């Protein structure tokens, strides 16, 4: 049997996330990918990236020019969030699959534009939620979804990080039109995406948000209470105000507590399982994390996407999965800003929170500029 062809890949944006995340992933899968082009509006940064990539790749300052000249199989997007929808749709229309940094877009309306482009092109767009793809996460999901730990009952999802004023001096950060939101969209989305991956469909959200420190349009902290379709109740905290930084997920099931504690990425050792008193030692031993240790990373997610490409099927982290996580963020904002609970599926065309995460709320929408 012949091996699948190497996929011709272009990167759009050549900043830190592409150099530090996507480029190592491509090198790890060099037997399956070939980096053929890079795009950046900053010629100096583009030239520096091409030199560091160590490959003879074409450079472009225009994405449309790159798509016309190169016709890549896969486009990796690592630009600021406000560009994601336009660039993703352009790549899809050119027939390329897309792997885009989070958030894939800034609203549910934008997401549905991407879904329409997928439908028209037959290509797919996935969002980088690399915490789903470590071996520890895959193992925990299999145990929880398979009922091995008993019914999920209580969960906690915590992204308590710290960002200073210098971080928000970057012009596109902290603004609805360019970042889409605060730590709910830009930071905590990784952890609550993993929570959804572990527990399945959510049903209802009640929430609060505030600007306590930073002079931003969006929030710098949000909290939520969540009911899942299976009955579990969860708390979610998204903060950039926390000196002791940690990312944590804990799920209390009827027969065990599973907990993940890390910061920006996890390996098997970051997961723990605590059996309930009635559980035998033999049963608990079977929950041990697998021998193979695959850290959560762009490399792990790219492998899954390439497998889907070779099989010609929709990749994980796209379609309904990706939309559910974005809908969760929109619902959290709506619940926080209106003070009313929001149910899954309750935000659609005509709802102000469908068009923008701030929902036009007078206390949160950006001020009109003359």
């Amino acid at each position: 049997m012949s091996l699948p062809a190497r996929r011709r890949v272009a990167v759009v944006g050549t900043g830190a996330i592409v150099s530090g995340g996507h480029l190592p992933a491509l090198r790890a899968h060099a037997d399956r990918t070939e980096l053929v082009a890079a795009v950046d509006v900053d010629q100096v940064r583009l030239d520096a990236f091409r030199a560091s990539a160590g490959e003879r790749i074409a450079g472009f300052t225009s994405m449309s020019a790159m798509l016309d000249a190169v016709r890549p199989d896969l486009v990796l997007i690592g630009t600021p969030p406000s560009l994601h929808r336009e660039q993703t749709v352009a790549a899809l229309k050119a027939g390329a699959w897309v792997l885009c940094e989070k958030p894939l877009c800034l609203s549910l309306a934008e997401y549905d534009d991407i879904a329409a482009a997928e439908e028209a092109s037959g290509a797919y767009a996935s969002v980088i939620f690399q915490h789903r793809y470590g071996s520890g996460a895959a193992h925990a999901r299999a145990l929880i979804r398979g009922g091995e730990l008993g019914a999920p009952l209580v969960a906690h999802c915590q992204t308590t990080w710290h960002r200073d004023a210098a971080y928000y001096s970057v012009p596109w950060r902290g603004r609805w039109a360019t970042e889409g939101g605060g730590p709910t969209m830009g930071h905590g989305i990784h952890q609550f995406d993993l929570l959804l991956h572990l527990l399945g469909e959510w049903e209802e959200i009640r929430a609060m948000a505030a600007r306590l420190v930073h002079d931003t349009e969006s929030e710098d902290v949000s909290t939520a209470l969540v009911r899942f379709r299976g009955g579990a109740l969860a708390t979610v905290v998204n903060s950039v105000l926390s000196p002791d930084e940690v990312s944590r997920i804990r799920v209390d099931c009827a027969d065990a507590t599973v907990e993940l504690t890390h910061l920006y990425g996890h390996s098997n050792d970051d997961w723990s399982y605590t059996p309930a008193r009635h559980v035998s030692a033999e049963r608990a031993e079977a929950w041990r994390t697998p021998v193979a240790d695959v850290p959560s990373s762009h490399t792990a997610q790219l492998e899954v996407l390439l497998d889907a490409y070779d099989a010609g099927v929709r990749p994980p982290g796209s379609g309904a999965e990706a939309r559910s996580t974005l809908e969760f963020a929109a619902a959290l904002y709506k619940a926080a800003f209106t003070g009313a609970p929001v149910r899954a599926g309750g935000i659609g065309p005509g709802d102000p929170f469908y068009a923008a995460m701030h929902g036009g709320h007078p206390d949160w929408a950006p001020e009109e500029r003359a």
Side-chain angles (χ1 to χ4, degrees):
M1 181 183 296
S2 61
L3 295 175
R6 292 172 74 199
R7 305 304 174 187
R8 300 172 68 254
V9 181
V11 297
V12 180
T14 61
I17 195 63
V18 171
S19 297
H22 292 282
L23 186 56
L26 290 171
R27 286 172 171 161
H29 296 295
D31 59 328
R32 306 179 69 183
T33 64
E34 178 188 6
L35 181 59
V36 296
V39 180
D40 202 303
V41 294
D42 185 325
Q43 185 70 54
V44 173
R45 189 167 57 208
L46 175 62
D47 291 343
F49 175 83
R50 293 174 67 199
S52 69
E55 302 180 47
R56 297 177 63 183
I57 60 174
F60 298 85
T61 56
S62 161
M63 183 174 176
S64 61
M66 181 276 291
L67 291 172
D68 288 342
V70 177
R71 309 301 293 186
D73 301 310
L74 172 63
V75 174
L76 309 181
I77 297 177
T79 52
S82 62
L83 302 174
H84 289 178
R85 178 189 61 84
E86 178 184 356
Q87 292 172 341
T88 296
V89 168
L92 291 169
K93 286 183 175 179
W97 285 34
V98 175
L99 183 57
C100 180
E101 283 298 320
K102 57 78 187 165
L104 180 59
C105 53
L106 302 187
S107 68
L108 290 170
E110 288 194 353
Y111 186 89
D112 289 346
D113 287 344
I114 292 172
E118 282 188 328
E119 181 68 23
S121 69
Y124 298 113
S126 293
V127 58
I128 286 285
F129 284 135
Q130 71 270 26
H131 295 314
R132 289 182 172 212
Y133 299 95
S135 53
H139 182 67
R141 185 175 191 265
L143 291 176
I144 293 171
R145 295 290 192 97
E148 297 298 323
L149 307 181
L153 303 172
V154 183
H156 306 278
C157 179
Q158 174 184 351
T159 304
T160 42
W161 294 357
H162 190 271
R163 298 293 183 265
D164 60 14
Y167 176 86
Y168 284 105
S169 68
V170 176
W172 58 265
R173 289 181 175 146
R175 296 182 180 276
W176 296 107
T178 48
E179 192 172 20
T184 306
M185 279 283 276
H187 304 84
I189 195 169
H190 277 298
Q191 295 313 302
F192 63 71
D193 173 75
L194 180 54
L195 183 71
L196 298 179
H197 187 58
L198 295 175
L199 294 186
E201 295 180 340
W202 59 275
E203 189 171 74
E204 181 183 343
I205 300 179
R206 300 167 187 259
M208 291 188 290
R211 300 183 199 95
L212 298 181
V213 173
H214 295 293
D215 182 18
T216 57
E217 290 180 349
S218 54
E219 85 288 359
D220 54 18
V221 61
S222 69
T223 64
L225 301 176
V226 186
R227 185 187 307 277
F228 281 83
R229 194 146 294 169
L233 299 181
T235 63
V236 177
V237 178
N238 310 295
S239 166
V240 287
L241 308 178
S242 309
D244 183 9
E245 296 186 295
V246 69
S247 305
R248 180 178 291 120
I249 287 179
R250 170 176 168 148
V251 181
D252 296 324
C253 299
D255 295 339
T257 293
V258 55
E259 187 164 5
L260 166 66
T261 303
H262 67 117
L263 187 54
Y264 298 139
H266 57 79
S267 63
N268 285 354
D269 288 344
D270 297 314
W271 294 82
S272 66
Y273 293 83
T274 303
R277 294 175 183 174
H278 64 267
V279 172
S280 68
E282 292 77 15
R283 183 181 172 200
E285 179 66 19
W287 301 337
R288 293 173 61 89
T289 51
V291 174
D293 190 354
V294 179
S296 63
S297 64
H298 288 66
T299 299
Q301 182 165 356
L302 180 59
E303 180 177 8
V304 173
L305 182 140
L306 290 171
D307 289 345
Y309 198 121
D310 292 346
V313 299
R314 174 177 287 282
S318 68
E321 288 183 2
R323 195 183 193 282
S324 178
T325 300
L326 191 67
E327 183 190 7
F328 185 97
L332 192 157
Y333 280 124
K334 182 175 181 177
F337 297 168
T338 65
V342 178
R343 299 184 66 85
I347 301 176
D351 189 311
F353 288 89
Y354 176 79
M357 291 290 170
H358 57 71
H361 191 281
D363 295 335
W364 289 96
E367 295 180 1
E368 294 290 338
R369 289 181 170 83

